[in-house]
Amino acid sequence: NQRDPQPGDLIEIFCVGYQHWAVYIGGGYVVHLTVPTGGVISSGSGPGRDNKKGIVRKNTLKDAVQDCEWKINNLLEDKYIPRDAYVIVKEALRLVGTEHQYHLLGKNCEHFATKLRYGQGESRQ
């Protein structure tokens, strides 16, 4: 059984064909980098979403996950010391509504989430 997410935890969301990443900020909310596609906001890591503008959104965890599976995955704990939860949440909230260049291999939602948690943006995708 998985523990409840804590502020600053990374949330890995498993959708059909791709994974999406968000940062839990408490109270049932996450902040994540999304990419507009055809008028719909989707998670930023799907196929064909390259060299676009991403928008940082604050959503409930339930809305971000939708029908997908998810887990807490603080994947770089063996490599980096996480920043203080207060700092992660404050920075995440400051970024809500801002646009960022999105690139699948260099600046995706996993880079965004890991940079918030560890101060270093990395992605296995």
Side-chain angles (χ1 to χ4, degrees), residues 72-121:
I72 298 166
N73 187 358
N74 297 322
L75 71 162
L76 299 175
E77 300 295 287
D78 58 341
K79 191 171 181 180
Y80 301 113
I81 297 171
R83 297 163 52 182
D84 182 70
Y86 171 79
V87 172
I88 297 167
V89 171
K90 182 179 175 183
E91 178 72 6
L93 289 172
R94 185 184 69 77
L95 292 171
V96 171
T98 61
E99 281 191 358
H100 299 265
Q101 191 67 35
Y102 175 86
H103 186 277
L104 182 61
L105 299 178
K107 292 184 178 181
N108 62 39
C109 58
E110 187 175 355
H111 286 96
F112 176 80
T114 56
K115 183 158 181 146
L116 280 171
R117 181 165 175 87
Y118 303 107
Q120 300 288 329

Side-chain angles (χ1 to χ4, degrees), residues 31-106:
V31 170
H32 54 134
L33 181 62
T34 63
V35 179
T37 56
V40 175
I41 300 297
S42 69
S43 55
S45 298
R49 297 187 183 110
D50 222 3
N51 293 318
K52 297 188 178 196
K53 292 279 186 187
I55 300 170
V56 178
R57 302 252 184 228
K58 175 183 171 187
N59 294 103
T60 64
L61 177 58
K62 182 179 178 180
D63 285 345
V65 169
Q66 297 179 10
D67 294 329
C68 302
E69 297 290 319
W70 67 276
K71 72 175 185 175
I72 298 166
N73 187 358
N74 297 322
L75 71 162
L76 299 175
E77 300 295 287
D78 58 341
K79 191 171 181 180
Y80 301 113
I81 297 171
R83 297 163 52 182
D84 182 70
Y86 171 79
V87 172
I88 297 167
V89 171
K90 182 179 175 183
E91 178 72 6
L93 289 172
R94 185 184 69 77
L95 292 171
V96 171
T98 61
E99 281 191 358
H100 299 265
Q101 191 67 35
Y102 175 86
H103 186 277
L104 182 61
L105 299 178

